[in-house]
Amino acid sequence: MSNHTRPLTALEKHHARTVYLRVVFFKWLLVLLGSFFLVLSVILPVAFVIDDTRAPLALIIFMGLLDLLVVALALFIMAHGLGRAATLRPTTAQLRGRLIEKTHTASTGNGGGRYTVYTYFIDDQQIVWPAGAERLYKPLVGQTITLTVAMIDMRSRAGLKALLEGIGIEALKKQPAAVGVVLACPPVIDVHGALIRYGRYYLLRYQLKTAAAIGLFVALFLLPSLYPATTDWLVGQSHVTMLAIILGWAIGSVVVTYLIARGYQALRKWLNPAYDDTPHEEKLKG
């Protein structure tokens, strides 16, 4: 890490704080989830006693062990939330190193599809790129690059860390040492310049538009399920026909969503000839 630092500009701090607030929100979400399981672990045996349920001794022992497992899970989740403290530095930092892409694939369960989460690192510091910049930073994976970032320091609470290590829980060590919010990656990204030119809420507006497009696709895709006659007819088809119809409907929903998005831009341009329809990747260059 380079020692060349400067104070964050107001626009850079605004952008970095949106990421910082997400980190804090996720932390407290884990605490609430762990608290829910902890309360559940207390309610279950209390309800068992109050109801005066007569059960075999083996079942009682099994339920007790299951309740202890829920307690352990609750404490484990809460430790991940409370065990890390996040602090946003008031100055920039420069990172130089090889950009590493890590993938984690998971299933939605119940026979559903699979999804892949991509995270990016330089050494042990996680990199957070501006939304919609995938085509700009994907080609940089595996290369040595220099980034100007707003650094969110992630430190473990010493007392809790010692307690967890004492009982054999070491998962907190896998967390990144810091989170670097990308502010500049010459010549493809200049967050300060983009926010000056397009407004301090430009990146938030872009994320809202992306969320609206995803919501429209989901609504179109699920629309037939609102009509029982349609679902009953679909269930009556062969498996091959059913899969073909679902796949075709999904592709059609994507096409319709794309056409609506393009039509919206064309309408904005027609109503306001000065409307800037520069591609998002170009706008990120500042």
Side-chain angles (χ1 to χ4, degrees):
M1 183 186 302
S2 171
N3 292 324
H4 298 293
T5 64
R6 59 171 175 77
L8 292 170
T9 67
L11 292 176
E12 290 173 339
K13 185 179 295 185
H14 176 266
H15 171 61
R17 281 192 64 82
T18 61
V19 179
Y20 170 75
L21 291 176
R22 287 204 300 268
V23 171
V24 173
F25 172 78
F26 182 70
K27 164 187 173 178
W28 288 107
L29 183 63
L30 288 177
V31 173
L32 289 175
L33 182 61
S35 300
F36 170 77
F37 281 115
L38 190 61
V39 171
L40 184 64
S41 69
V42 174
I43 291 176
L44 287 176
V46 170
F48 201 84
V49 172
I50 291 177
D51 289 345
D52 194 23
T53 303
R54 305 297 180 180
L57 180 60
L59 179 59
I60 294 176
I61 293 175
F62 173 77
M63 293 297 294
L65 293 175
L66 183 62
D67 194 59
L68 290 176
L69 181 62
V70 174
V71 172
L73 177 63
L75 294 177
F76 182 77
I77 294 175
M78 292 179 66
H80 274 70
L82 295 174
R84 305 278 287 178
T87 304
L88 176 62
R89 293 186 197 173
T91 58
T92 63
Q94 282 198 336
L95 294 179
R96 179 172 176 79
R98 188 167 69 91
L99 181 64
I100 301 171
E101 179 183 77
K102 297 183 179 181
T103 60
H104 175 69
T105 302
S107 172
T108 56
N110 298 323
R114 299 177 68 84
Y115 63 93
T116 302
V117 177
Y118 297 89
T119 52
Y120 298 86
F121 290 83
I122 291 180
D123 296 328
D124 60 346
Q125 294 156 113
Q126 185 174 349
I127 306 301
V128 177
W129 299 91
E134 290 81 4
R135 287 192 290 183
L136 299 178
Y137 62 75
K138 281 282 188 179
L140 303 177
V141 172
Q143 299 183 24
T144 298
I145 60 175
T146 300
L147 301 175
T148 300
V149 301
M151 193 67 74
I152 302 174
D153 292 311
M154 306 293 294
R155 65 184 186 279
S156 299
R157 301 185 187 278
L160 184 56
K161 181 180 179 181
L163 175 62
L164 292 175
E165 291 178 352
I167 59 178
I169 298 178
E170 300 182 357
L172 293 180
K173 292 182 178 180
K174 299 178 182 179
Q175 301 296 323
V179 175
V181 183
V182 175
L183 302 176
C185 178
V188 295
I189 294 176
D190 179 5
V191 169
H192 179 75
L195 296 183
I196 283 182
R197 179 170 296 184
Y198 302 107
R200 67 183 302 173
Y201 298 107
Y202 168 70
L203 289 174
L204 290 177
R205 291 198 306 270
Y206 175 82
Q207 293 178 68
L208 288 175
K209 290 178 182 177
T210 302
I214 295 174
L216 176 60
F217 162 75
V218 172
L220 290 172
F221 181 69
L222 296 179
L223 183 61
S225 65
L226 299 178
Y227 302 93
T230 303
T231 55
D232 291 343
W233 174 82
L234 184 62
V235 170
Q237 307 302 310
S238 67
H239 292 302
V240 175
T241 303
M242 185 189 305
L243 290 175
I245 292 174
I246 293 175
L247 180 60
W249 187 262
I251 294 174
S253 300
V254 171
V255 172
V256 170
T257 301
Y258 173 77
L259 292 176
I260 290 176
R262 296 293 293 179
Y264 170 78
Q265 284 191 331
L267 179 62
R268 289 286 303 271
K269 189 72 174 179
W270 180 69
L271 293 175
N272 179 19
Y275 173 70
D276 188 354
D277 57 356
T278 303
H280 177 64
E281 290 86 355
E282 290 297 320
K283 290 182 178 180
L284 286 177
K285 296 179 180 179

